Amino acid sequence: MKGVNTMLREQLEIVRGKIDAACKRSGRKPEDVLLLAVSKTKPASAIMELYEAGQRDFGENYVQELREKHEELPKDIRWHMIGHLQRNKVKYIADYIYLIHSVDSKELADTIEKEAFKHNRVISVLIEVNVGEEESKFGVRIDEAPELAAYIRSLPHVKLCGYMTSAPYVADPEENRKYFRELRQLSVDTDLQNDNNETVGILSMGMSNDYVVAVEEGATCVRVGTEIFGARHYD
């Protein structure tokens, strides 16, 4: 019987293989897609196993859990905040966070600006877009995104790098292809509306159930948890 550690590495390679295949089908380069291992609720030991297999990008949903893991694990890990971020929690991650995927208001952007200034750094962010306009999810509507994008670009210590979305959970991933296309078009339109030639090249879209379709539609970052780590166990 294989150990858990061996299984984690094998699952990581299976996911990478699926990403590579999706890239080939869509005429893309595999190196243009970042695999973000979503490690929420998973122990530091599991993260270290993937780290030793070469994985460096990990996503967390909760600030407290992210802080604890950041303190315990190697400092060259690139931590991504992918969950809803409360303004009063920004200060706890501002000095080291690699990318915040979930900016959905000017007020949150202002707080990130303030905390980034304190640490004399520029924090990279994505705008979270609620493509399916689901009441249960955070994020701005697609038609609201350009205004927020323009606002974030006016902040000296916040860098807009692209967009993130969590498409509806569906039995057939093909049903989400339209949402991924919409987000990709939003990225193209945002670049066309920008005068300083800065591009918003990151499209964080696709999770364990639909990341293959997302890659085919232009995702540059996929957030995969369950398919690597297995089902989550919540206390």
Side-chain angles (χ1 to χ4, degrees):
M1 182 175 177
K2 294 181 180 179
V4 174
N5 291 351
T6 302
M7 291 175 64
L8 281 177
R9 292 186 183 217
E10 289 183 355
Q11 287 303 116
L12 180 68
E13 288 308 311
I14 288 171
V15 172
R16 286 176 174 168
K18 289 182 178 180
I19 292 172
D20 289 355
C23 285
K24 289 178 181 178
R25 286 194 299 273
S26 52
R28 304 181 62 200
K29 298 178 181 178
E31 57 266 29
D32 291 338
V33 180
L34 173 70
L35 171 57
L36 179 57
V38 178
S39 50
K40 68 176 182 180
T41 78
K42 297 302 177 182
S45 58
I47 295 173
M48 273 306 301
E49 187 63 31
L50 297 184
Y51 177 89
E52 291 171 357
Q55 181 69 22
R56 288 296 181 271
D57 292 87
F58 293 88
E60 291 286 335
N61 284 62
Y62 305 107
V63 168
Q64 183 58 37
E65 189 176 352
L66 196 160
R67 291 177 70 191
E68 292 171 357
K69 290 174 178 176
H70 172 258
E71 292 173 3
E72 182 177 354
L73 291 161
K75 292 300 178 274
D76 63 333
I77 286 178
R78 294 184 288 264
W79 293 105
H80 298 241
M81 180 64 194
I82 61 175
H84 180 63
L85 180 57
Q86 296 174 298
R87 291 166 61 194
N88 63 353
K89 299 290 181 66
V90 175
K91 60 187 176 184
Y92 298 118
I93 61 174
D95 59 332
Y96 63 83
I97 195 69
Y98 180 74
L99 181 62
I100 297 173
H101 291 230
S102 49
V103 176
D104 59 0
S105 70
K106 292 179 181 179
E107 291 78 13
L108 177 56
D110 284 338
T111 302
I112 296 171
E113 166 66 26
K114 181 178 72 174
E115 296 299 332
F117 173 76
K118 288 181 182 178
H119 293 282
N120 192 31
R121 66 183 299 239
V122 175
I123 295 179
S124 296
V125 305
L126 307 179
I127 291 175
E128 181 174 6
V129 181
N130 186 350
V131 288
E133 297 189 8
E134 297 174 272
E135 292 184 3
S136 61
K137 292 182 178 178
F138 294 98
V140 299
R141 299 194 312 267
I142 278 193
D143 62 336
E144 298 171 328
E147 180 182 354
L148 182 55
Y151 184 79
I152 291 174
R153 280 177 159 156
S154 73
L155 302 175
H157 296 88
V158 182
K159 181 178 181 181
L160 178 63
C161 295
Y163 294 101
M164 180 269 266
T165 197
S166 297
Y169 186 84
V170 290
D172 181 5
E174 285 294 328
E175 294 180 26
N176 282 339
R177 192 177 292 275
K178 61 183 178 181
Y179 295 120
F180 299 141
R181 286 176 177 171
E182 286 179 19
L183 197 71
R184 185 170 184 271
Q185 187 59 50
L186 173 64
S187 176
V188 172
D189 293 343
T190 301
D191 287 342
L192 290 174
Q193 294 165 5
N194 186 39
D195 296 329
N196 60 10
N197 295 322
E198 288 185 4
T199 60
V200 288
I202 298 179
L203 285 177
S204 174
M205 58 187 193
M207 297 187 287
S208 286
N209 63 311
D210 57 12
Y211 70 90
V212 171
V213 172
V215 170
E216 292 173 351
E217 293 301 332
T220 66
C221 174
V222 293
R223 310 183 305 277
V224 182
T226 302
E227 194 159 334
I228 296 174
F229 291 101
R232 297 187 181 90
H233 301 286
Y234 295 93
D235 294 330

